[in-house]
Coordinates of all heavy atoms in Angstrom, one line a residue:
M78 N 61.7 104.6 69.1 CA 62.8 104.9 70.0 C 63.0 103.7 71.0 O 64.1 103.4 71.4 CB 62.5 106.1 70.8 CG 63.7 106.6 71.6 SD 63.8 108.4 71.8 CE 63.1 108.6 73.3
F79 N 62.0 103.0 71.3 CA 62.1 101.8 72.2 C 63.0 100.8 71.6 O 63.9 100.2 72.2 CB 60.7 101.2 72.5 CG 60.8 99.9 73.2 CD1 61.1 99.9 74.6 CD2 60.6 98.7 72.6 CE1 61.2 98.7 75.3 CE2 60.7 97.5 73.3 CZ 61.0 97.5 74.6
R80 N 62.9 100.5 70.3 CA 63.7 99.6 69.6 C 65.2 100.0 69.6 O 66.0 99.1 69.8 CB 63.2 99.4 68.1 CG 63.7 98.2 67.5 CD 63.1 98.0 66.1 NE 61.8 98.6 66.0 CZ 61.2 98.7 64.8 NH1 61.7 98.2 63.7 NH2 60.0 99.2 64.8
A81 N 65.4 101.2 69.4 CA 66.8 101.7 69.4 C 67.4 101.5 70.8 O 68.6 101.2 71.0 CB 66.9 103.2 69.0
T82 N 66.6 101.8 71.9 CA 67.1 101.6 73.2 C 67.3 100.2 73.5 O 68.3 99.8 74.2 CB 66.0 102.2 74.2 OG1 65.7 103.5 73.9 CG2 66.6 102.2 75.6
L83 N 66.5 99.3 73.0 CA 66.7 97.9 73.2 C 68.0 97.4 72.5 O 68.7 96.6 73.1 CB 65.5 97.1 72.7 CG 65.5 95.6 72.8 CD1 65.5 95.2 74.3 CD2 64.4 95.0 72.1
I84 N 68.2 97.9 71.3 CA 69.4 97.5 70.6 C 70.6 98.0 71.3 O 71.7 97.3 71.4 CB 69.3 98.0 69.2 CG1 68.3 97.2 68.4 CG2 70.7 97.9 68.5 CD1 68.0 97.7 67.0
A85 N 70.6 99.2 71.9 CA 71.7 99.7 72.7 C 72.0 98.9 73.9 O 73.1 98.6 74.2 CB 71.5 101.2 73.1
S86 N 70.9 98.4 74.5 CA 71.1 97.6 75.7 C 71.7 96.2 75.3 O 72.6 95.7 76.0 CB 69.7 97.3 76.4 OG 69.1 98.5 76.7
L87 N 71.3 95.7 74.2 CA 71.9 94.4 73.7 C 73.4 94.7 73.4 O 74.2 93.8 73.6 CB 71.2 93.9 72.5 CG 69.8 93.4 72.8 CD1 69.1 93.0 71.5 CD2 69.8 92.2 73.7
G88 N 73.7 95.8 72.8 CA 75.1 96.2 72.5 C 76.0 96.2 73.8 O 77.1 95.7 73.8
V89 N 75.4 96.8 74.8 CA 76.1 96.8 76.1 C 76.3 95.4 76.6 O 77.4 95.1 77.1 CB 75.4 97.7 77.1 CG1 76.0 97.6 78.5 CG2 75.4 99.2 76.7
A90 N 75.3 94.6 76.5 CA 75.4 93.2 77.0 C 76.5 92.5 76.2 O 77.3 91.7 76.8 CB 74.1 92.5 76.9
M91 N 76.6 92.7 74.9 CA 77.6 92.0 74.1 C 79.0 92.5 74.5 O 79.9 91.7 74.6 CB 77.3 92.3 72.6 CG 76.1 91.6 72.1 SD 75.9 91.9 70.3 CE 77.2 90.9 69.6
I92 N 79.1 93.8 74.8 CA 80.5 94.3 75.2 C 80.9 93.7 76.5 O 82.0 93.2 76.7 CB 80.5 95.8 75.2 CG1 80.4 96.4 73.8 CG2 81.6 96.3 76.0 CD1 80.4 97.9 73.7
L93 N 79.9 93.6 77.4 CA 80.3 93.0 78.7 C 80.6 91.5 78.6 O 81.5 91.0 79.3 CB 79.1 93.2 79.7 CG 78.9 94.6 80.1 CD1 77.6 94.7 81.0 CD2 80.1 95.2 80.9
T94 N 79.9 90.8 77.7 CA 80.2 89.4 77.4 C 81.6 89.2 76.8 O 82.4 88.3 77.2 CB 79.2 88.8 76.4 OG1 77.9 89.0 77.0 CG2 79.5 87.4 76.1
G95 N 82.0 90.1 75.9 CA 83.3 90.1 75.3 C 84.4 90.3 76.4 O 85.4 89.7 76.4
I96 N 84.2 91.3 77.2 CA 85.1 91.6 78.3 C 85.2 90.4 79.3 O 86.3 90.0 79.7 CB 84.7 92.9 79.0 CG1 84.9 94.1 78.1 CG2 85.5 93.1 80.3 CD1 84.3 95.4 78.6
W97 N 84.1 89.8 79.6 CA 84.1 88.7 80.5 C 84.9 87.5 79.9 O 85.6 86.8 80.6 CB 82.7 88.2 80.9 CG 82.7 86.9 81.6 CD1 82.2 85.8 81.2 CD2 83.2 86.7 82.9 NE1 82.4 84.8 82.2 CE2 83.0 85.3 83.2 CE3 83.9 87.5 83.9 CZ2 83.4 84.8 84.4 CZ3 84.2 86.9 85.1 CH2 84.0 85.6 85.4
G98 N 84.7 87.2 78.6 CA 85.4 86.1 77.9 C 86.9 86.3 78.0 O 87.7 85.4 78.3
S99 N 87.4 87.5 77.8 CA 88.8 87.8 77.8 C 89.3 87.7 79.3 O 90.4 87.1 79.5 CB 89.1 89.2 77.3 OG 88.7 89.4 76.0
F100 N 88.6 88.2 80.2 CA 88.9 88.1 81.6 C 89.0 86.7 82.0 O 90.0 86.3 82.7 CB 87.9 88.9 82.5 CG 88.2 88.8 83.9 CD1 89.2 89.6 84.5 CD2 87.5 88.0 84.8 CE1 89.5 89.6 85.8 CE2 87.8 87.9 86.1 CZ 88.8 88.7 86.6
Y101 N 88.1 85.8 81.6 CA 88.1 84.4 82.0 C 89.3 83.7 81.5 O 90.0 83.0 82.2 CB 86.8 83.8 81.5 CG 86.8 82.3 81.8 CD1 86.4 81.9 83.0 CD2 87.2 81.3 80.8 CE1 86.3 80.5 83.4 CE2 87.1 80.0 81.1 CZ 86.7 79.6 82.4 OH 86.7 78.3 82.7
I102 N 89.6 84.0 80.2 CA 90.8 83.3 79.6 C 92.1 83.6 80.3 O 92.9 82.7 80.5 CB 90.9 83.6 78.1 CG1 89.8 82.9 77.3 CG2 92.2 83.3 77.5 CD1 89.9 81.4 77.3
F103 N 92.3 84.9 80.7 CA 93.6 85.3 81.2 C 93.6 85.3 82.8 O 94.7 85.2 83.3 CB 93.9 86.6 80.7 CG 94.3 86.6 79.3 CD1 93.6 87.2 78.3 CD2 95.5 85.9 78.9 CE1 93.9 87.2 77.0 CE2 95.8 85.9 77.6 CZ 95.1 86.5 76.6
H104 N 92.5 85.3 83.5 CA 92.6 85.4 84.9 C 92.0 84.3 85.7 O 92.5 83.9 86.8 CB 91.9 86.8 85.4 CG 92.6 88.0 84.8 ND1 93.8 88.4 85.3 CD2 92.3 88.8 83.8 CE1 94.2 89.5 84.6 NE2 93.3 89.7 83.7
I105 N 90.9 83.8 85.2 CA 90.2 82.7 86.0 C 90.6 81.3 85.6 O 91.0 80.5 86.4 CB 88.7 82.9 85.9 CG1 88.3 84.2 86.5 CG2 88.0 81.7 86.5 CD1 86.8 84.5 86.4
Y106 N 90.7 81.1 84.3 CA 91.0 79.7 83.8 C 92.4 79.3 84.3 O 92.5 78.1 84.7 CB 91.0 79.7 82.3 CG 91.3 78.3 81.7 CD1 90.3 77.3 81.8 CD2 92.5 78.0 81.2 CE1 90.6 76.0 81.4 CE2 92.8 76.7 80.7 CZ 91.9 75.8 80.8 OH 92.2 74.5 80.4
P107 N 93.5 80.1 84.2 CA 94.8 79.6 84.7 C 94.8 79.2 86.2 O 95.7 78.4 86.6 CB 95.7 80.8 84.5 CG 95.0 81.6 83.4 CD 93.6 81.4 83.6
V108 N 93.9 79.7 87.0 CA 93.9 79.3 88.4 C 93.6 77.8 88.5 O 94.1 77.1 89.4 CB 92.8 80.1 89.2 CG1 92.6 79.6 90.5 CG2 93.2 81.6 89.2
F109 N 92.8 77.2 87.6 CA 92.4 75.8 87.7 C 93.4 74.9 87.0 O 93.3 73.7 87.0 CB 91.0 75.6 87.1 CG 90.0 76.4 87.9 CD1 89.4 77.5 87.3 CD2 89.6 76.0 89.1 CE1 88.4 78.2 88.0 CE2 88.7 76.7 89.8 CZ 88.1 77.8 89.3
Q110 N 94.4 75.5 86.3 CA 95.4 74.7 85.6 C 96.7 74.6 86.4 O 97.1 75.6 87.0 CB 95.8 75.4 84.3 CG 94.7 75.4 83.2 CD 94.5 74.0 82.7 OE1 93.5 73.4 83.1 NE2 95.3 73.5 81.9
S111 N 97.2 73.4 86.5 CA 98.5 73.3 87.3 C 99.7 73.8 86.5 O 100.7 74.2 87.1 CB 98.6 71.8 87.7 OG 98.7 71.0 86.5
A112 N 99.6 73.7 85.2 CA 100.7 74.1 84.3 C 100.1 74.6 83.0 O 99.0 74.3 82.7 CB 101.7 73.0 84.1
F113 N 100.9 75.4 82.3 CA 100.5 75.9 81.0 C 100.5 74.8 80.0 O 101.4 74.1 79.8 CB 101.4 77.1 80.5 CG 100.9 77.7 79.3 CD1 99.9 78.6 79.2 CD2 101.5 77.3 78.1 CE1 99.4 79.1 78.1 CE2 101.1 77.9 76.9 CZ 100.1 78.8 76.9
D114 N 99.4 74.6 79.3 CA 99.2 73.6 78.3 C 99.3 74.2 77.0 O 98.5 75.1 76.6 CB 97.9 72.8 78.5 CG 97.8 72.1 79.8 OD1 98.9 71.6 80.2 OD2 96.7 72.0 80.3
W115 N 100.2 73.7 76.1 CA 100.4 74.3 74.8 C 99.2 74.0 73.9 O 98.9 74.8 73.0 CB 101.6 73.8 74.1 CG 102.8 74.5 74.7 CD1 103.7 74.0 75.6 CD2 103.2 75.8 74.5 NE1 104.6 74.9 75.9 CE2 104.4 76.1 75.3 CE3 102.7 76.8 73.7 CZ2 105.0 77.3 75.3 CZ3 103.4 78.1 73.7 CH2 104.5 78.3 74.5
W116 N 98.4 73.0 74.2 CA 97.2 72.7 73.4 C 96.2 73.8 73.6 O 95.2 73.9 72.8 CB 96.7 71.3 73.7 CG 96.2 71.2 75.1 CD1 96.9 70.7 76.1 CD2 94.9 71.4 75.6 NE1 96.1 70.7 77.3 CE2 94.9 71.1 76.9 CE3 93.7 71.9 75.0 CZ2 93.7 71.3 77.7 CZ3 92.6 72.1 75.8 CH2 92.6 71.8 77.1
M117 N 96.3 74.6 74.7 CA 95.3 75.7 74.9 C 95.5 76.9 74.1 O 94.6 77.7 74.0 CB 95.4 76.1 76.4 CG 94.9 75.1 77.4 SD 93.2 74.8 77.2 CE 92.6 76.4 77.5
V118 N 96.7 77.1 73.5 CA 97.0 78.3 72.7 C 96.0 78.5 71.6 O 95.4 79.6 71.5 CB 98.4 78.3 72.2 CG1 98.7 79.4 71.2 CG2 99.4 78.3 73.3
P119 N 95.6 77.5 70.7 CA 94.6 77.8 69.7 C 93.3 78.2 70.3 O 92.6 79.0 69.7 CB 94.5 76.5 68.9 CG 95.8 75.7 69.2 CD 96.2 76.2 70.6
M120 N 92.9 77.6 71.4 CA 91.6 77.9 72.0 C 91.6 79.4 72.5 O 90.7 80.1 72.4 CB 91.3 77.0 73.2 CG 89.9 77.2 73.7 SD 89.6 76.6 75.3 CE 90.4 77.8 76.4
I121 N 92.7 79.8 73.1 CA 92.8 81.1 73.6 C 92.7 82.1 72.5 O 92.0 83.1 72.6 CB 94.2 81.3 74.4 CG1 94.1 80.5 75.7 CG2 94.4 82.8 74.6 CD1 95.5 80.5 76.4
F122 N 93.4 81.9 71.4 CA 93.3 82.8 70.2 C 91.9 82.8 69.6 O 91.4 83.8 69.2 CB 94.4 82.5 69.2 CG 95.7 83.0 69.6 CD1 96.8 82.1 69.7 CD2 96.0 84.3 69.9 CE1 98.0 82.5 70.1 CE2 97.2 84.8 70.3 CZ 98.3 83.9 70.4
T123 N 91.3 81.7 69.6 CA 89.9 81.6 69.1 C 89.0 82.4 69.9 O 88.1 83.1 69.4 CB 89.5 80.1 69.0 OG1 90.4 79.4 68.2 CG2 88.1 80.0 68.4
V124 N 89.1 82.2 71.2 CA 88.2 82.9 72.1 C 88.4 84.4 72.0 O 87.5 85.2 72.0 CB 88.4 82.5 73.6 CG1 87.7 83.4 74.6 CG2 87.8 81.1 73.8
L125 N 89.7 84.8 71.9 CA 90.0 86.3 71.8 C 89.5 86.8 70.5 O 89.0 88.0 70.4 CB 91.5 86.5 72.0 CG 92.0 86.3 73.4 CD1 93.5 86.5 73.4 CD2 91.3 87.2 74.4
F126 N 89.6 86.0 69.4 CA 89.1 86.5 68.1 C 87.6 86.7 68.2 O 87.1 87.7 67.8 CB 89.4 85.4 67.1 CG 88.8 85.7 65.7 CD1 89.3 86.7 64.9 CD2 87.7 85.0 65.3 CE1 88.8 86.9 63.7 CE2 87.1 85.2 64.0 CZ 87.7 86.2 63.2
F127 N 86.8 85.8 68.8 CA 85.4 85.9 68.9 C 85.0 87.0 69.9 O 84.0 87.7 69.7 CB 84.7 84.6 69.2 CG 84.6 83.7 68.0 CD1 85.4 82.5 68.0 CD2 83.8 84.0 66.9 CE1 85.3 81.7 66.9 CE2 83.8 83.2 65.8 CZ 84.5 82.0 65.8
D128 N 85.8 87.2 70.9 CA 85.6 88.3 71.8 C 85.7 89.6 71.1 O 84.9 90.6 71.3 CB 86.5 88.3 73.0 CG 86.1 87.2 74.0 OD1 85.0 86.8 74.0 OD2 87.0 86.9 74.9
A129 N 86.7 89.7 70.2 CA 86.9 91.0 69.5 C 85.7 91.2 68.6 O 85.2 92.4 68.5 CB 88.2 90.9 68.7
I130 N 85.2 90.2 67.9 CA 84.0 90.4 67.1 C 82.8 90.8 67.9 O 82.1 91.7 67.5 CB 83.7 89.1 66.3 CG1 84.8 88.8 65.2 CG2 82.4 89.1 65.6 CD1 84.7 87.5 64.5
I131 N 82.6 90.2 69.0 CA 81.5 90.5 69.9 C 81.6 92.0 70.3 O 80.6 92.7 70.3 CB 81.5 89.6 71.1 CG1 81.0 88.2 70.7 CG2 80.5 90.1 72.2 CD1 81.1 87.1 71.7
L132 N 82.8 92.4 70.7 CA 83.0 93.8 71.1 C 82.7 94.8 70.0 O 82.1 95.8 70.2 CB 84.5 94.0 71.6 CG 84.8 93.4 73.0 CD1 86.3 93.4 73.2 CD2 84.0 94.0 74.1
L133 N 83.2 94.5 68.8 CA 83.0 95.4 67.7 C 81.5 95.4 67.3 O 80.9 96.5 67.0 CB 83.8 94.9 66.5 CG 85.3 95.1 66.6 CD1 86.0 94.5 65.4 CD2 85.6 96.6 66.7
V134 N 80.8 94.3 67.3 CA 79.4 94.3 67.0 C 78.6 95.1 68.1 O 77.7 95.8 67.7 CB 78.8 92.9 66.8 CG1 77.3 92.8 66.7 CG2 79.5 92.2 65.6
G135 N 78.9 94.8 69.3 CA 78.3 95.6 70.4 C 78.5 97.1 70.3 O 77.5 97.9 70.4
Y136 N 79.7 97.5 69.9 CA 80.0 98.9 69.7 C 79.2 99.5 68.6 O 78.6 100.6 68.7 CB 81.5 99.1 69.5 CG 81.8 100.6 69.2 CD1 81.8 101.6 70.1 CD2 82.1 100.9 67.8 CE1 82.1 102.9 69.8 CE2 82.4 102.2 67.5 CZ 82.4 103.2 68.5 OH 82.6 104.5 68.2
A137 N 79.1 98.7 67.5 CA 78.3 99.2 66.3 C 76.9 99.3 66.6 O 76.2 100.2 66.2 CB 78.5 98.2 65.1
M138 N 76.3 98.4 67.4 CA 74.9 98.4 67.8 C 74.6 99.7 68.7 O 73.6 100.3 68.5 CB 74.5 97.2 68.6 CG 74.5 95.9 67.7 SD 74.3 94.4 68.7 CE 72.6 94.6 69.2
I139 N 75.5 99.9 69.6 CA 75.3 101.1 70.5 C 75.4 102.4 69.6 O 74.6 103.3 69.8 CB 76.4 101.1 71.6 CG1 76.1 100.0 72.6 CG2 76.3 102.5 72.3 CD1 77.1 99.8 73.6
K140 N 76.4 102.5 68.8 CA 76.6 103.7 67.9 C 75.4 103.9 67.0 O 74.9 105.0 67.0 CB 77.9 103.5 67.1 CG 78.2 104.7 66.2 CD 79.5 105.3 66.6 CE 79.9 106.3 65.7 NZ 79.7 107.6 66.1
A141 N 74.9 102.9 66.4 CA 73.8 103.0 65.5 C 72.5 103.4 66.2 O 71.8 104.3 65.8 CB 73.6 101.7 64.7
S142 N 72.3 102.8 67.4 CA 71.1 103.1 68.1 C 71.1 104.5 68.7 O 70.1 105.2 68.8 CB 70.7 102.0 69.1 OG 71.9 101.7 69.8
T143 N 72.3 104.9 69.2 CA 72.3 106.3 69.7 C 72.1 107.3 68.6 O 71.5 108.4 68.9 CB 73.7 106.6 70.4 OG1 74.8 106.3 69.6 CG2 73.8 105.8 71.7
E144 N 72.6 107.1 67.4 CA 72.3 108.0 66.3 C 70.8 108.0 66.0 O 70.3 109.0 65.7 CB 73.1 107.5 65.0 CG 74.6 107.7 65.2 CD 75.0 109.2 65.3 OE1 74.4 110.0 64.7 OE2 75.9 109.4 66.1
K145 N 70.2 106.8 66.0 CA 68.7 106.7 65.8 C 68.0 107.5 66.9 O 67.0 108.2 66.6 CB 68.3 105.3 65.7 CG 66.9 105.0 65.6 CD 66.4 105.4 64.2 CE 65.0 105.0 64.0 NZ 64.3 105.8 63.1
I146 N 68.4 107.3 68.1 CA 67.7 108.1 69.2 C 67.9 109.6 69.0 O 66.9 110.3 69.2 CB 68.2 107.6 70.6 CG1 67.8 106.1 70.8 CG2 67.8 108.5 71.7 CD1 68.5 105.5 72.0
K147 N 69.1 110.0 68.7 CA 69.3 111.4 68.4 C 68.4 111.9 67.3 O 67.8 113.0 67.4 CB 70.8 111.7 68.1 CG 71.7 111.6 69.2 CD 73.1 111.9 68.8 CE 74.1 111.6 69.8 NZ 75.5 111.8 69.4
E148 N 68.3 111.1 66.2 CA 67.5 111.5 65.1 C 66.0 111.6 65.5 O 65.3 112.5 65.1 CB 67.7 110.5 64.0 CG 66.9 110.7 62.7 CD 67.1 109.6 61.8 OE1 68.2 109.3 61.4 OE2 66.0 109.1 61.3
D149 N 65.6 110.6 66.3 CA 64.1 110.6 66.7 C 63.8 111.8 67.6 O 62.8 112.4 67.5 CB 63.8 109.3 67.4 CG 63.7 108.1 66.4 OD1 63.7 108.4 65.2 OD2 63.7 107.0 66.9
T150 N 64.7 112.1 68.5 CA 64.5 113.2 69.4 C 64.6 114.6 68.7 O 63.8 115.5 69.1 CB 65.4 113.2 70.6 OG1 66.8 113.1 70.2 CG2 65.1 112.1 71.6
S151 N 65.4 114.7 67.7 CA 65.5 116.0 67.0 C 64.3 116.1 66.1 O 63.8 117.3 65.9 CB 66.8 116.0 66.2 OG 66.8 115.1 65.1
N152 N 63.7 115.0 65.6 CA 62.5 115.1 64.8 C 61.3 115.4 65.6 O 60.3 116.0 65.1 CB 62.3 113.8 64.0 CG 63.3 113.6 62.9 OD1 63.9 114.6 62.4 ND2 63.4 112.4 62.4
S153 N 61.3 115.0 66.8 CA 60.1 115.2 67.7 C 60.0 116.7 68.2 O 58.9 117.1 68.7 CB 60.1 114.3 68.8 OG 61.1 114.5 69.7
E154 N 61.1 117.4 68.1 CA 61.0 118.8 68.6 C 60.5 119.8 67.7 O 60.2 119.7 66.6 CB 62.5 119.2 69.0 CG 63.0 118.5 70.1 CD 64.5 118.9 70.4 OE1 65.0 119.7 69.6 OE2 65.0 118.4 71.4

């Protein structure tokens, strides 16, 4: 059960990382730019693509580990 809890914690960290990456691209980075640069568009889409993957993997980790924790607690009763 410790391993499942650890995996769930890592899943939460991955989700927070994905959210932070999206937030950075759209809210913090433009503050330091004087004008919109078209060369940034591929980078923005690349970051959002990897953020989406990070979010999905984090969700899958949480889902799998909560199922494992449920299974372990039902077996111990």
Side-chain angles (χ1 to χ4, degrees):
M78 189 146 99
F79 173 74
R80 198 175 330 173
T82 307
L83 179 65
I84 291 173
S86 304
L87 291 173
V89 170
M91 289 181 74
I92 287 177
L93 292 175
T94 302
I96 291 170
W97 171 249
S99 301
F100 179 78
Y101 178 81
I102 285 295
F103 287 114
H104 297 284
I105 295 176
Y106 181 77
V108 170
F109 300 109
Q110 291 291 102
S111 58
F113 183 77
D114 293 327
W115 283 104
W116 64 269
M117 289 295 301
V118 172
M120 187 198 77
I121 290 171
F122 284 121
T123 304
V124 168
L125 291 178
F126 174 74
F127 285 111
D128 281 345
I130 290 173
I131 289 171
L132 289 170
L133 289 173
V134 170
Y136 174 75
M138 290 172 72
I139 292 171
K140 181 115 172 102
S142 45
T143 52
E144 293 297 322
K145 177 71 174 152
I146 291 170
K147 284 180 189 175
E148 179 184 309
D149 288 349
T150 50
S151 68
N152 288 340
S153 66
E154 291 176 357

